[in-house]
Amino acid sequence: MSQENIELSRRVFAELARANELDEVERTDAALEEFFDPDVEWVPVPQGLLAGSTYQGYEGIRRFWADFVSAWDEYLMEPQEFLDAGDQVVVIVRVRGRMHKLEINEVWSVLNTFRDGRIVRVQGFTSRDGALEAAGLRE
């Protein structure tokens, strides 16, 4: 199942890459059932604007993306690597963005957890090693 999980993670990032405006987020609603479990949990990066929040289910994903997109003047997430971790996939992501006077160009990571061919948990990290450590791929 690991290769299937990696491929699904690639497809999710391709779909979300198109969600750079709020109306594009609405367009992604059609893809939610294909990629995510109905009870999916989305955990934003702990040091970000949305830290402390957890988003549940399809409505949670819609709220997360609306909150995230509205915070940025512009942003781009480019997946760099997809790494197999059994029922999890680590995605190393280059994040570029601008909000107000703050600009970032950093490498972050995301840990996708799978069950029955769908993502049940998404957790973001503001470092490359965050998801690797959480997946047990680095000590």
Side-chain angles (χ1 to χ4, degrees), residues 50-66:
L50 306 176
S53 300
T54 298
Y55 297 83
Q56 299 285 96
Y58 299 152
E59 180 58 32
I61 292 174
R62 286 190 287 274
R63 276 192 352 294
F64 169 80
W65 275 103

Side-chain angles (χ1 to χ4, degrees), residues 1-3 5-6 83-90 112 114 135 137:
M1 233 4 209
S2 298
Q3 192 57 41
N5 293 346
I6 288 174
L83 305 168
D84 175 24
D87 65 348
Q88 298 178 310
V89 172
V90 172
N112 290 333
F114 290 82
L137 297 178

Side-chain angles (χ1 to χ4, degrees), residues 39-130:
D39 296 322
V40 63
E41 176 184 33
W42 196 294
V43 182
V45 297
Q47 298 85 359
L49 294 172
L50 306 176
S53 300
T54 298
Y55 297 83
Q56 299 285 96
Y58 299 152
E59 180 58 32
I61 292 174
R62 286 190 287 274
R63 276 192 352 294
F64 169 80
W65 275 103
D67 292 350
F68 183 81
V69 169
S70 66
W72 293 93
D73 297 324
E74 60 184 65
Y75 79 94
L76 176 64
M77 283 192 197
E78 300 172 303
Q80 308 284 296
E81 295 178 71
F82 293 85
L83 305 168
D84 175 24
D87 65 348
Q88 298 178 310
V89 172
V90 172
V91 185
I92 308 301
V93 181
R94 164 86 42 204
V95 179
R96 293 184 180 109
R98 183 176 53 79
M99 69 172 65
H100 311 292
K101 294 181 182 186
L102 171 69
E103 288 192 33
I104 67 164
N105 182 357
E106 301 175 348
V107 176
W108 292 4
S109 58
V110 174
L111 183 61
N112 290 333
T113 302
F114 290 82
R115 184 178 59 233
D116 299 326
R118 289 189 182 174
I119 298 172
V120 295
R121 189 166 198 266
V122 177
Q123 184 172 8
F125 299 88
T126 55
S127 71
R128 182 185 200 285
D129 291 339

Side-chain angles (χ1 to χ4, degrees), residues 31-42:
L32 289 176
E33 287 185 27
E34 180 180 357
F35 300 127
F36 298 98
D37 184 87
D39 296 322
V40 63
E41 176 184 33
W42 196 294

